[in-house]
Amino acid sequence: MTIQAVLARIDQALPEATDRLLDLLRIPSISTDPAYQADCDRAADWLVADLQGLGFEASKRPTPGHPMVVAHYDGPEVAGTPHLLFYGHYDVQPVDPLSLWDRDPFDPQIENTPAGKVIRGRGASDDKGQLMTFLEACRAWRAEHGRLPCRLTIFLEGEEESGSPSLIPFMQENAEELRADVALICDTGLFQSQTPSIVTMLRGLLGEEVTIKAASKDLHSGMYGGLAMNPIRLLSQIIAGLHDDTGRITLPGFYDGVPELSDEMRAQWQGLAFDHARFLGDVGLSVPAGETDRTPLEMLWSRPTCEVNGIWGGYTGDGFKTVLPAEAHAKISFRLVGQQDPLAIREAFRAYVTAQLPPDCTAEFSAHGDSPAGQMSVENPAFEPARAALTEEWGTAAAYVGCGGSIPIAGYFKTYLDMDAMLIGFAKDDDQIHSPNEKYDLQSFQKGIRSWARVLDRLTTAKG
Ligand SMILES: [Zn+2]
């Protein structure tokens, strides 16, 4: 079986692959800081040269910010063999405070730790180490077969850590060139640092700020208290009413478009044996706070939320002041799932607040973003073979998982290029991405490369 030969080559060539990664890590491509502009450029050049060496037609493409790297490989046109796009990013986070690093963040080294060898340096995990897993898989495949297995497009961004300002315009302007059958994104982690997974659900986000206005000026609570409405009391009542006793959100129509988990997905999530006591225990908590009839993983991944992120009003300085304030404020956000419509929920929230105001009080609202949830269709024929490949490599059943936060790039592929994306990554929870002493386990690097080789094999070899 030829995949074994590719895997053996990956294992045998790991030292050279590691050296190449160390080389890339030495380039301080901090995208947010203009002082590193030339370095970002240099990282893009490094990748263009590496991809050309792998047989790609690769180029650095200008944007108003840092360049994109786009590369194409015209593989064999075999019916049923997909055209794959791979996405990663070559820019990294700033490194300060430098004093908290045990070594120069851009002088990476292999370190021995009690948990095994790690590659230490900024970008080791996020995302240079991860993106190189795919390039190294291509290298080993090509060395073994003399060519790559299918048509491939590589798309590497240099602004991911600074808000991706050029990404959507670039996708729109180059949609024809970038469109493929499925996108592979390597910028996520193993579930609980050990189980390979494909992220298929990403929660959306809606943000609202509300100001309740009562009296025309701040009042003295001795003079007016009891007769005049306190807007903090009103706001507290309104906020308290957003959840019922079972943790359900009370806004009319809020659960429209919230899908139930399929039995298949429920079984996969049960198989993950999520230790919510440990997860909460790590942050000093123990009691799940979501809907009482839902499992902890559902609360995190497949159920919507309503959270108050900030609340203020009146006197909050040192000492005490018996003020009856004129205004009270709150910032409230909703994590959304499935087909929930952010704009309909915004309207429902505003109507709910307004309906509770006495005639002498008013509410003002300002919007802070609205992005729908992302749902990858696992019916795309690439998903099951990829999951099988991951299961095979890691020796533990890979799962489709959710992600409580948002990973905008996956949604962009869907929205702007009409492509499903598979988020597959090998980072661990303790990789300290964005923090001092970032690392990537050498084992993650090696098994990551092997995983991609297996994914390529499963997606491009007809299985009898
Ligand atoms: Zn990243």
Side-chain angles (χ1 to χ4, degrees):
M1 196 178 157
T2 55
I3 185 62
Q4 295 306 334
V6 175
L7 296 176
R9 189 177 281 271
I10 289 168
D11 294 343
Q12 176 212 323
L14 188 66
E16 293 82 52
T18 310
D19 282 345
R20 274 185 292 270
L21 173 56
L22 293 177
D23 220 30
L24 179 60
L25 291 173
R26 284 189 196 98
I27 306 173
S29 46
I30 302 172
S31 59
T32 196
D33 186 342
Y36 295 90
Q37 187 173 345
D39 296 299
C40 290
D41 228 49
R42 200 148 56 86
D45 288 333
W46 190 99
L47 287 159
V48 167
D50 197 49
L51 285 161
Q52 285 170 344
L54 289 173
F56 284 85
E57 192 188 299
S59 59
K60 188 172 70 173
R61 306 279 288 272
T63 75
H66 300 298
M68 305 282 177
V69 172
V70 180
H72 298 287
Y73 181 88
D74 288 325
E77 296 274 350
V78 180
T81 297
H83 170 196
L84 304 174
L85 178 142
F86 176 82
Y87 166 92
H89 64 91
Y90 65 80
D91 63 320
V92 298
Q93 281 273 319
V95 292
D96 45 299
L98 201 53
S99 60
L100 293 184
W101 284 80
D102 296 334
R103 57 172 312 101
D104 178 345
F106 296 110
D107 178 23
Q109 290 287 324
I110 308 297
E111 272 177 30
N112 285 304
T113 76
K117 284 188 194 315
V118 305
I119 303 160
R120 181 91 62 195
R122 173 56 87 228
S125 177
D126 183 16
D127 186 45
K128 289 174 175 171
Q130 299 240 66
L131 81 83
M132 286 306 289
T133 57
F134 191 81
L135 268 55
E136 294 300 343
C138 290
R139 195 181 325 271
W141 191 288
R142 185 167 180 264
E144 197 56 39
H145 295 286
R147 59 168 178 78
L148 294 171
C150 62
R151 186 170 167 207
L152 278 167
T153 298
I154 308 279
F155 180 34
L156 307 174
E157 188 192 357
E159 300 182 320
E160 199 273 346
E161 304 289 10
S162 50
S164 298
S166 310
L167 183 61
I168 292 174
F170 191 85
M171 279 180 152
Q172 287 174 320
E173 280 158 32
N174 300 280
E176 276 318 302
E177 183 185 349
L178 292 173
R179 194 169 290 124
D181 294 317
V182 69
L184 311 173
I185 301 175
C186 193
D187 198 16
T188 50
L190 300 163
F191 176 72
Q192 294 203 313
S193 295
Q194 50 192 352
T195 307
S197 56
I198 303 175
V199 180
T200 60
M201 290 179 189
L202 301 154
R203 290 198 291 195
L205 187 61
L206 169 71
E208 274 283 280
E209 185 170 331
V210 57
T211 296
I212 306 286
K213 294 190 169 180
S216 55
K217 58 179 181 178
D218 282 3
L219 307 174
H220 186 286
S221 70
M223 300 281 292
Y224 286 92
L227 180 63
M229 174 52 86
N230 183 332
I232 297 179
R233 171 177 151 201
L234 197 51
L235 180 62
S236 306
Q237 278 170 348
I238 289 170
I239 288 173
L242 283 168
H243 294 86
D244 70 14
D245 290 343
T246 68
R248 234 180 123 77
I249 291 144
T250 57
L251 291 181
F254 183 75
Y255 289 92
D256 291 354
V258 176
E260 276 305 320
L261 270 191
S262 66
D263 292 343
E264 157 74 14
M265 212 64 115
R266 194 179 302 278
Q268 278 188 28
W269 288 8
Q270 262 153 15
L272 291 170
F274 176 56
D275 184 354
H276 76 269
R278 207 187 88 192
F279 187 76
L280 284 177
D282 282 348
V283 293
L285 294 173
S286 57
V287 185
E291 294 159 275
T292 48
D293 59 344
R294 299 290 167 174
T295 66
L297 274 188
E298 284 179 274
M299 292 178 193
L300 285 175
W301 291 345
S302 67
R303 300 299 294 175
T305 70
C306 165
E307 297 291 352
V308 184
N309 305 114
I311 177 166
W312 69 102
Y315 182 72
T316 56
D318 288 342
F320 209 86
K321 184 180 171 189
T322 51
V323 65
L324 209 164
E327 295 183 2
H329 314 261
K331 290 179 192 283
I332 295 172
S333 64
F334 301 85
R335 293 274 173 191
L336 308 178
V337 304
Q339 275 73 51
Q340 275 183 301
D341 176 356
L343 299 182
I345 291 171
R346 166 165 287 145
E347 235 167 80
F349 171 74
R350 292 182 176 185
Y352 158 83
V353 172
T354 308
Q356 295 181 73
L357 299 174
D360 56 351
C361 294
T362 58
E364 284 176 8
F365 302 94
S366 51
H368 288 274
D370 55 87
S371 55
Q375 180 100 33
M376 304 305 140
S377 62
V378 299
E379 291 76 33
N380 183 304
F383 278 74
E384 273 303 308
R387 193 162 74 88
L390 292 172
T391 298
E392 204 166 41
E393 173 58 28
W394 293 80
T396 170
Y400 297 133
V401 302
C403 178
S406 53
I407 305 177
I409 180 72
Y412 295 162
F413 278 111
K414 189 85 202 170
T415 307
Y416 299 104
L417 301 176
D418 195 26
M419 293 165 62
D420 283 307
M422 285 202 284
L423 291 143
I424 298 173
F426 313 102
K428 292 191 172 177
D429 298 340
D430 66 353
D431 277 358
Q432 304 181 103
I433 63 167
H434 300 197
S435 300
N437 296 320
E438 180 176 348
K439 61 90 174 160
Y440 199 40
D441 285 24
L442 194 59
Q443 192 219 34
S444 288
F445 187 52
Q446 181 175 9
K447 289 180 83 65
I449 302 168
R450 291 172 54 100
S451 295
W452 286 124
R454 288 187 192 271
V455 169
L456 288 175
D457 182 51
R458 290 258 181 179
L459 290 181
T460 58
T461 314
K463 300 281 171 193

